[in-house]
Amino acid sequence: MLRLIVQRVLALVPLLFLVSVLTFSFTSLLPGDPADLIVGQQGTPEQYALVRHRLGLDQPLVERYAHWVEHAARGDLGTSFFNSVKVSDAVMQRLPVTASLTAVAALIAIAVGLAAGIAAALRPGSAVDRIATLGATFGQAIPNFWFGLLLAAIFAVGLRWFPATGFTPISTSVGGWLASVALPAIALGFASSAAIARQVRSAMVGVLQQDYIRAARAQGLSSRRVIFRHALKNALVPVVAVLSFQITVLLGGALIVEQVFAINGLGTLAITAVRQQDIPMIQGIVLVMVAIVVVVQLATDLLYGFLNPKARPS
Amino acid sequence: MTETAASAPKTVARRPARRRRASAARLIVYPALGVLALLVFFAVFADWITPYDPLKQSLMEALQGPSMHHWLGTDDLGRDVLSRLIVGCRIAIIAAAEATSIAILLGVPLGLFVGYRGGWWDWSVMRLVEAIMSIPGIMVAIVIIAILGPGLHRAMIALGILFSTSFLRLARGVVLSEREEVYVRSARVVGTGDARILIRHIFPNVAPPLIVQATLTVGAVLLAEAGLSFIGIGVQPPNASWGTMLNTAASYMQLDWFLAIPPGVALVLTVLSINLLGDVLRDRIGRGIAVPAARPKAPKRPPKTAPAAGAPGRRPSPVPAPDAVLDVAGLDVVVTAGAGDEVPVLSDLGFSVRKGETLGLVGESGSGKTITGLAILRLIGTTGRITRGRITLNGRDISDLSERQMREVRGKEIAVVFQDPTTSLNPAFTVGEQIAEILRTRAGLSRRAAMARAVELIGRVGIPNPAERARAYPHELSGGMAQRIAIARALSCNPSVLIADEPTTALDVTVQQEILDLFRDLQEEFGMAIIFVTHDLAVAADICDRIAVMYAGEIVEEAPVDTLFSAPRHPYTAGLLAASPHGATRNPPLPTIPGTVPRPGAWPEGCRFAPRCPHAAPACDAAIPLGDGGHRVRCIRADTLDLRRSA
């Protein structure tokens, strides 16, 4: 197990490197010059040169990258071009917001997806199956932000069960956190639950036709045991791959859903940074997101190995 | 599956499942096409049909609900929502077309190229694709838009680049699988240029999955475009797109929630239609998972009636033999075929086995041997059911038991060993766990005791190092070893009947004999009765005490093994014996029985073997009962034929 983790972590290093090169060179292609924006139109050429020098923009690209990596490795992602906020501070301040929204949405998606997928697979063609399939089809066609708007209109504006906007940190109040994150998480998780339900259904239908399921029944094991132990463990193998992908999708979706509920997460930070061409900030956000995705992938890899003995290194 | 013995039910005429599925597909396709046609119509004729100028502001009329003048109301600047919605159709189509075309034009050639070229090109491009895919898609789009600047066309370039990765991977995958195909290699040998091979030979294989992928991409692009416009970096105000309209709606949610409805519904309907078409296309192109036909409504448990004594070819079921462990009498089983009709698969099946005895069920494929074993355990799924007959186990009629009571019987009183040990053991659990689980849940052993007993059983079936082997997963064992495990599992609760369904067929010949010896040993020790299903007469001769020969869902002859082999009385048995290489000592090639076993539903009225029988006579057209006594035979001419083999 430990060896697998070490192996996987080592394999991630080149990926992180590549992503950092990508974002660095991409962001360097940004049109215009941040120094222009900072100095403003009244600035003198001297001021302009000074700002460029302070931001390191007068250095060659490769040197700038080396400089950035050197600091990033020490956890210093640089300073915003526009205020003297450290990128790592800004990102770390927003990260818990986006991460908790994504995590709750993922939990909802997994729970709903598993339940609907299994229920549909047990009786292919039945009413339950048709409703679940229909729900899954709709789920994948409804944009998360529109669903969020509807939920907000009904449950926050209309019924006043939940706050319409804002985010309460879990450290302030657990109940308040749950109330503030509930609607956005449902809006965000719905489409993923549909994708997971589809995958669970098709995997489960296939597994239930296997000989070992019939053999388990022939030994007199209860249906519940056969379905939730013998069938599900096998059916989850292909689901795990979808799950890993869906969490990446959720993380991206969170950026947009945050806007609906006026939640100050990474999404707002990213959009502002893009508008201001705040290169260090964009780099920092992308890097943190990739880091999250990578951790999720590692976790799902380990889960995959647990579910599928054939995939374990011998 | 609670229905049991009853007179044959009337089969209600049902619409064939295939037609039902086809009409369901049509039910999806036509409305979806209708929605898209409407979309295109609006997009093309937007300038003529919009009731107002979509950009004309009228602050006096801001935020009005639907009315005669403004069917869908007005927005915050008093602009007509319907007009903006119609113009949004045009934006949606332009967006989808732009981004999808860019994705295809960028992804497919690159994928074809790196897949065909391989090596360094392939490696580096794929690492790049992996890196991009590890960033959430919307973030990739945001970064690209940061470089290009906001706006519809720039945003669509961003989405095109983003979605090109999936086309790249698709095209590359097809090339990798086609590249080594014989026709491509031979084209290369005759000197066809690479470009020509790619375009003429490989590209056509990319087309079908490409169409499906393109459809799915269009849906995803529409959602992504709306998302980007919604957060203000896609289509820029004052231009109308569904996403920007939703952006406005979000700001005025408290004042006028209706603003969010028209663009949202338009977006959902469009994406839904495209996704549904994509699903249908995918099923057509054959990558979809077939949906099993709907479960037919089982007739309500019909009143249990005594077997019709007057039924042709059927004798009143005799009282079970007093020393029989398992006695089956007059068993009829039907299964629901694809079209929804019930087809008989077993009829008038009757036999009994005593303690310590091995009964062989022998016959060609399709004769109903396996379904017999499953029917006794009532494991014929949701499509099969017993319509008549009695199954007596240890003096108790089990054909009537509820599913719950039946579960108690399975494993404890009757256990099964299946044909292929590599598929009948669960790949996700160690073999020790799989045996211990039965002992824990069925015999009530503690976790520790169950594992100890499992190890003991594994040792008992002749596996060395049982404690270590118990921790192995099925894929780590050889076929013979896995079958020993399956036997140990079947015997874990000491059943009185063991059904062995072709347990040696999937095994290596050298292993077969060892497994047969194991069955003999275990029977001596545990004393269970064995029903041994096989198509191999030599195996049956080796292990069985009595043999019942099955043909087309019924027993045609049953006799002690020696009698059956030396003096068969049914022409089918004689044919099987003659066709068996172990029985034949003659030089001329093996005689075979011409023809094949008729499929269920296509059984002849009278003797089911008559069409293939060399001795068939007019009298064979009537149904024939199975005889009585120690040597039973279902042949009208049994007394007059001499089928003994010339030794």
Side-chain angles (χ1 to χ4, degrees):
Chain A
M1 190 57 100
L2 192 71
R3 221 179 91 193
L4 180 69
I5 296 177
V6 171
Q7 249 174 26
R8 295 291 315 181
V9 169
L10 286 180
L12 295 176
V13 174
L15 177 71
L16 280 176
F17 173 72
L18 193 58
V19 168
S20 71
V21 171
L22 263 183
T23 48
F24 198 88
S25 43
F26 263 40
T27 44
S28 310
L29 292 174
L30 284 171
D33 194 329
D36 266 340
L37 286 168
I38 294 168
V39 176
Q41 289 180 343
Q42 282 85 38
T44 61
E46 289 76 29
Q47 281 176 317
Y48 176 75
L50 193 69
V51 168
R52 275 184 66 86
H53 179 73
R54 187 165 54 78
L55 300 178
L57 292 176
D58 51 354
Q59 308 281 320
L61 191 61
V62 179
E63 241 164 78
R64 270 158 60 198
Y65 177 69
H67 182 79
W68 181 80
V69 167
E70 196 190 318
H71 285 80
R74 281 187 256 136
D76 174 13
L77 295 174
T79 311
S80 162
F81 278 171
F82 288 87
N83 37 42
S84 43
V85 176
K86 278 188 132 0
V87 169
S88 44
D89 290 348
V91 169
M92 281 308 147
Q93 191 198 341
R94 309 294 189 96
L95 182 63
V97 181
T98 303
S100 64
L101 175 56
T102 307
V104 176
L107 286 181
I108 292 174
I110 292 168
V112 174
L114 274 180
I118 292 172
L122 291 183
R123 310 230 157 156
S126 68
V128 175
D129 182 23
R130 273 179 231 176
I131 291 169
T133 308
L134 193 72
T137 311
F138 267 97
Q140 291 189 306
I142 296 180
N144 49 26
F145 59 93
W146 186 60
F147 192 42
L149 278 177
L150 295 188
L151 288 177
I154 297 169
F155 295 104
V157 178
L159 297 169
R160 301 191 172 277
W161 289 356
F162 298 95
T165 55
F167 177 83
T168 310
I170 195 166
S171 52
T172 311
S173 147
V174 175
W177 170 75
L178 209 56
S180 70
V181 89
L183 292 182
I186 293 171
L188 182 56
F190 185 50
S192 290
S193 75
I196 292 172
R198 276 181 155 213
Q199 185 63 50
V200 169
R201 182 194 177 279
S202 82
M204 200 73 178
V205 165
V207 167
L208 285 173
Q209 288 165 352
Q210 295 295 315
D211 277 358
Y212 53 80
I213 296 303
R214 186 189 264 178
R217 288 192 200 280
Q219 289 295 328
L221 294 179
S222 66
S223 279
R224 195 192 304 161
R225 223 183 159 75
V226 170
I227 292 162
F228 289 102
R229 195 173 140 86
H230 287 256
L232 193 58
K233 192 171 174 194
N234 287 287
L236 282 182
V237 172
V239 174
V240 167
V242 175
L243 190 65
S244 158
F245 176 69
Q246 282 303 323
I247 292 179
T248 313
V249 171
L250 286 176
L251 194 58
L255 304 184
I256 295 182
V257 172
E258 279 171 7
Q259 306 306 302
V260 177
F261 293 89
I263 292 174
N264 252 335
L266 286 177
T268 323
L269 193 65
I271 293 166
T272 318
V274 165
R275 290 236 174 89
Q276 298 178 329
Q277 297 187 354
D278 195 344
I279 298 173
M281 197 60 92
I282 296 175
Q283 278 166 352
I285 295 169
V286 171
L287 208 67
V288 166
M289 286 197 140
V290 172
I292 295 175
V293 170
V294 155
V295 169
V296 167
Q297 275 173 357
L298 180 62
T300 46
D301 271 359
L302 295 177
L303 186 62
Y304 189 81
F306 163 74
L307 293 170
N308 182 9
K310 286 183 203 173
R312 286 177 213 170
S314 42
Chain B
M1 279 315 299
T2 45
E3 309 73 29
T4 49
S7 56
K10 286 201 190 85
T11 318
V12 187
R14 297 190 189 91
R15 261 207 297 168
R18 197 183 309 151
R19 246 176 51 202
R20 199 164 46 213
R21 250 194 326 263
S23 69
R26 213 168 297 141
L27 215 64
I28 293 169
V29 171
Y30 288 149
L33 284 175
V35 168
L36 297 180
L38 201 63
L39 182 78
V40 172
F41 176 80
F42 281 163
V44 172
F45 297 104
D47 297 339
W48 289 278
I49 55 178
T50 47
Y52 295 88
D53 177 354
L55 298 181
K56 184 170 157 274
Q57 303 181 2
S58 168
L59 292 173
M60 295 300 288
E61 294 178 297
L63 294 177
Q64 286 180 353
S67 66
M68 285 298 286
H69 299 289
H70 299 281
W71 290 1
L72 295 176
T74 56
D75 68 5
D76 56 317
L77 299 174
R79 295 173 295 198
D80 182 50
V81 172
L82 179 61
S83 303
R84 290 177 70 75
L85 193 70
I86 291 173
V87 174
C89 293
R90 176 180 288 177
I91 302 292
I93 287 189
I94 293 173
E98 265 185 13
T100 310
S101 318
I102 292 171
I104 292 174
L105 292 177
L106 204 63
V108 174
L110 205 55
L112 288 174
F113 174 72
V114 299
Y116 191 76
R117 201 59 183 270
W120 185 86
W121 276 100
D122 187 39
W123 188 88
S124 46
V125 170
M126 286 321 285
R127 293 296 82 73
L128 200 69
V129 168
E130 270 170 31
I132 293 178
M133 293 191 66
S134 70
I135 310 172
I138 210 81
M139 194 67 211
V140 177
I142 288 175
V143 171
I144 300 175
I145 291 171
I147 298 165
L148 301 176
L152 172 64
H153 302 292
R154 290 163 178 168
M156 290 310 109
I157 293 173
L159 290 181
I161 295 173
L162 175 63
F163 286 108
S164 69
T165 53
S166 57
F167 287 99
L168 190 153
R169 297 202 311 167
L170 183 143
R172 174 178 174 270
V174 174
V175 177
L176 286 185
S177 69
E178 296 297 324
R179 189 169 67 169
E180 300 308 320
E181 290 289 321
V182 176
Y183 73 94
V184 174
R185 286 219 300 254
S186 47
R188 211 177 292 147
V189 168
V190 297
T192 316
D194 283 352
R196 198 177 160 77
I197 288 178
L198 269 177
I199 293 166
R200 285 290 301 268
H201 297 279
I202 294 183
F203 183 71
N205 293 297
V206 185
L210 189 71
I211 294 168
V212 174
Q213 184 67 38
T215 324
L216 298 175
T217 304
V218 166
V221 163
L222 287 174
L223 288 179
E225 183 273 316
L228 292 175
S229 297
F230 178 75
I231 58 175
I233 57 176
V235 175
Q236 296 297 300
N239 293 321
S241 88
W242 297 339
T244 51
M245 290 172 76
L246 285 170
N247 182 328
T248 311
S251 320
Y252 294 91
M253 211 61 206
Q254 311 253 4
L255 288 172
D256 184 6
W257 57 269
F258 183 77
L259 272 182
I261 303 298
V265 170
L267 183 57
V268 171
L269 271 183
T270 308
V271 176
L272 192 63
S273 302
I274 288 170
N275 285 359
L276 286 172
L277 281 181
D279 281 354
V280 171
L281 273 177
R282 174 161 45 187
D283 287 349
R284 282 289 154 81
I285 291 172
R287 285 202 315 158
I289 287 136
V291 181
R295 185 159 73 139
K297 278 202 181 69
K300 291 271 180 279
R301 181 194 274 253
K304 191 175 176 182
T305 50
R314 180 184 282 274
R315 302 222 155 175
S317 314
V319 188
D323 56 344
V325 179
L326 178 73
D327 185 273
V328 177
L331 193 70
D332 282 3
V333 172
V334 296
V335 299
T336 308
D341 300 319
E342 289 193 324
V343 177
V345 288
L346 292 179
S347 63
D348 189 26
L349 199 80
F351 59 81
S352 64
V353 261
R354 286 186 294 275
K355 189 169 164 35
E357 186 190 35
T358 302
L359 172 73
L361 284 184
V362 171
E364 289 169 90
S365 319
S367 56
K369 305 170 309 240
T370 295
I371 198 105
T372 303
L374 295 175
I376 293 170
L377 280 168
R378 248 191 281 144
L379 282 175
I380 38 185
T382 50
T383 55
R385 59 195 196 92
I386 299 172
T387 54
R388 196 208 308 249
R390 200 184 54 218
I391 303 168
T392 313
L393 176 69
N394 293 321
R396 178 168 70 129
D397 186 357
I398 60 164
S399 58
D400 248 4
L401 299 184
S402 68
E403 172 62 26
R404 189 181 198 79
Q405 290 169 313
M406 202 57 218
R407 223 179 67 209
E408 274 302 304
V409 171
R410 293 181 198 135
K412 264 189 183 164
E413 292 184 70
I414 310 178
V416 193
V417 175
F418 289 93
Q419 174 169 346
D420 188 348
T422 55
T423 59
S424 69
L425 292 173
N426 194 325
F429 297 95
T430 66
V431 295
E433 270 177 88
Q434 296 189 50
I435 299 173
E437 181 186 21
I438 309 294
L439 290 163
R440 259 191 354 258
T441 57
R442 307 304 315 287
L445 265 58
S446 71
R447 191 167 282 273
R448 183 184 293 258
M451 199 34 114
R453 175 76 183 133
V455 170
E456 204 177 299
L457 278 164
I458 292 172
R460 179 61 197 85
V461 292
I463 294 178
N465 295 331
E468 187 190 318
R469 283 297 166 188
R471 285 193 297 272
Y473 285 91
H475 72 271
E476 295 166 341
L477 301 178
S478 69
M481 195 115 54
Q483 194 60 302
R484 285 171 193 269
I485 297 287
I487 293 170
R489 179 175 63 173
L491 292 179
S492 57
C493 293
N494 232 331
S496 40
V497 179
L498 181 68
I499 299 174
D501 186 359
E502 305 253 14
T504 58
T505 307
L507 303 178
D508 199 73
V509 184
T510 50
V511 184
Q512 278 191 6
Q513 192 57 46
E514 292 173 25
I515 297 288
L516 289 180
D517 290 341
L518 179 63
F519 271 110
R520 238 190 310 267
D521 283 359
L522 292 170
Q523 189 175 37
E524 220 159 82
E525 185 181 331
F526 290 81
M528 71 280 185
I530 298 180
I531 296 176
F532 200 98
V533 175
T534 181
H535 68 275
D536 187 337
L537 281 172
V539 167
D542 190 348
I543 190 152
C544 299
D545 300 308
R546 267 186 311 128
I547 291 180
V549 179
M550 291 192 67
Y551 185 81
E554 60 186 9
I555 292 177
V556 292
E557 182 167 11
E558 189 206 317
V561 62
D562 295 336
T563 319
L564 190 93
F565 274 80
S566 60
R569 294 185 64 200
H570 195 286
Y572 178 60
T573 313
L576 277 185
L577 289 173
S580 165
H582 306 275
T585 49
R586 292 160 295 184
N587 273 336
L590 285 174
T592 54
I593 310 174
T596 53
V597 184
R599 295 170 54 80
W603 294 338
E605 281 287 310
C607 170
R608 290 174 191 164
F609 184 60
R612 296 171 71 188
C613 182
H615 310 286
C620 300
D621 289 345
I624 300 153
L626 188 62
D628 277 329
H631 190 163
R632 305 192 292 163
V633 61
R634 195 187 289 272
C635 176
I636 202 98
R637 303 191 61 201
D639 293 333
T640 54
L641 294 174
D642 182 12
L643 300 167
R644 251 175 293 198
R645 287 186 294 169
S646 41

